[in-house]
Amino acid sequence: MLNKKTIILGVTGGIAAYKAADLASKLIQSGASVRVIMTRNAQEFITPLTFEAITSSAVVTDMFQTAAEHRINHIALAEIADAVLIAPATADIMAKLATGIADDMLTTTVLATRAPVILAPSMHTQMYQNPVTQENESRLKARGFYIIPPATGRLASGGYGPGRLPDTEVIIGHLKAVLGRSGDLAGMNIIVTAGGTQEPIDPVRVITNRSSGKMGYAIAEAARDRGARVTLISAPVSIPAPPVVDIIRVETAVQMKEAVQRAVSGADALIMAAAVADFQARDIAENKIKKEKGNLTLELTGTPDILAELNGDFLKIGFAAESQDLLENAQRKLIAKKLDLIVANNITEENSGFGSDTNKVTLIDKNGVVQNLPLLSKREVADRILDQVVRLLNLKKSNNNPAQKNTPA
Ligand code: PMT
């Protein structure tokens, strides 16, 4: 989604300025065109040459010098920007922007642009928490600037608290969320489940499966990037939470069911990519089961079927992980669970299904096979599923409002 987007990266003079090099590099790797503007103070921490090498573009360091040397007038970058991202943003730049001061190329560009402006504040905790900075932040937010909350952690000053520049992936997640605000899922409320639930046997052991959460997390990110408000209900996984997605962490099938039931009120679609355990221990041992007991027989009972038991005015999308009779079994689940769409997942294919980065799936709706997809990255699969969500939501809308059907496009 960053492909062919023009990002103006403003770098201001904080200790985290060096991290902006990694940010510029990752943006370039994602296909974005990056133009860097550095303040005078930023150049005390890192040289323009670093950014020129990374972006293969001249770095703008001074308004007048630049105009002469690079023939860039003072609003040229403002006009070509898809987004202006200031990372790190110091207390100083926040104060200037909050009060409308435009005395260098960065502030001038921000004042002149129609593109969204995103700031990643980074400074000592006391400076960030100072009422002046907080007031500036509130003003900026009120004027439509997007603020990425600083991370909490160890600071260059030796202290600990909020004020760290978030990781590059987090900043890029926020940037994508902003750029996706007018996407085809804008205003939609999408609930996604992911990961394998864990059913306890005793205080240290669980019954679980090999789900890594990658498929569900990819759907959550893709929906966010297309403008949706996303709630991700996640069983335990070891991958990072996608930024700008509300995450609810659960362990068992029963907890997932309760979380889903709460989340679907007001939802437009529920996408259940989670591998929910079908069985749970009938009795959970209070103490660790001792090995000396020799063979162990566990009595298992069924877990609630979350999808089958849910009804409401939202799309219900399920997955079917199958090792045989893929399409028949998936179609049977589509009907039994009253789904609008099922993603038939052939887990016998190489590099497909549990744990892999790719998936080979067939999308089936009430009328039969919609798409038989080749092996794709989980992110690409996520986008193909969301294409169907958009189609089904539009269909639902026109069925609810038949007059629209006859309106010429
Ligand atoms: O997490 P990854 O490593 O990326 O792997 C992705 C995946 C293989 C886990 C995922 O793509 C997938 O196929 N998820 C569904 C796996 C599964 O449990 O399928 P199922 O056939 O058992 O269940 C059918 C549907 O009912 C699923 O949408 C499931 O979430 C839902 N279900 C299942 C059991 C249950 N008690 N309640 C449910 O709602």
Side-chain angles (χ1 to χ4, degrees), residues 22 26 79 118 220 256-257 260 270 281 291 294 333 341-342:
D22 180 51
K26 295 276 163 43
E79 282 174 350
I118 302 150
M256 184 169 275
K257 179 186 170 181
V260 169
L270 165 68
K291 189 181 168 193
K333 285 180 183 169
L341 186 80
I342 194 151

Side-chain angles (χ1 to χ4, degrees), residues 199 253-254 276-282 299-305 309:
E199 311 302 327
V254 169
V276 184
D278 289 320
F279 302 101
Q280 59 192 340
R282 205 195 65 160
E299 193 170 343
L300 303 178
T301 60
T303 54
D305 191 319
E309 293 172 17

Side-chain angles (χ1 to χ4, degrees), residues 352-368:
S352 177
F354 290 82
S356 60
D357 290 327
T358 47
N359 230 359
K360 177 152 177 20
V361 305
T362 303
L363 307 182
I364 305 171
D365 73 4
K366 287 169 184 161
N367 299 317

Side-chain angles (χ1 to χ4, degrees), residues 193-196 209-217 219 237 239 253 256 271-279 302-309 317-322 329 333 337 339 342-347 352-359 361 378:
T193 67
N209 57 67
R210 297 180 194 278
S211 170
S212 63
K214 288 178 189 171
M215 188 64 247
Y217 278 49
I219 297 170
V237 296
I239 54 176
M256 184 169 275
I271 307 175
M272 290 274 308
V276 184
D278 289 320
F279 302 101
T303 54
D305 191 319
I306 304 171
L307 263 181
E309 293 172 17
I317 291 127
F319 274 70
E322 302 293 340
N329 282 328
K333 285 180 183 169
K337 299 184 188 228
L339 305 180
I342 194 151
V343 183
N345 212 337
N346 188 345
I347 55 172
S352 177
F354 290 82
S356 60
D357 290 327
T358 47
N359 230 359
V361 305
K378 284 188 172 168

Side-chain angles (χ1 to χ4, degrees), residues 294-326:
N295 290 345
L296 176 69
T297 304
L298 277 177
E299 193 170 343
L300 303 178
T301 60
T303 54
D305 191 319
I306 304 171
L307 263 181
E309 293 172 17
L310 264 183
N311 288 309
D313 188 27
F314 51 86
L315 295 181
K316 281 207 303 182
I317 291 127
F319 274 70
E322 302 293 340
S323 55
Q324 54 190 358
D325 302 327
L326 177 67

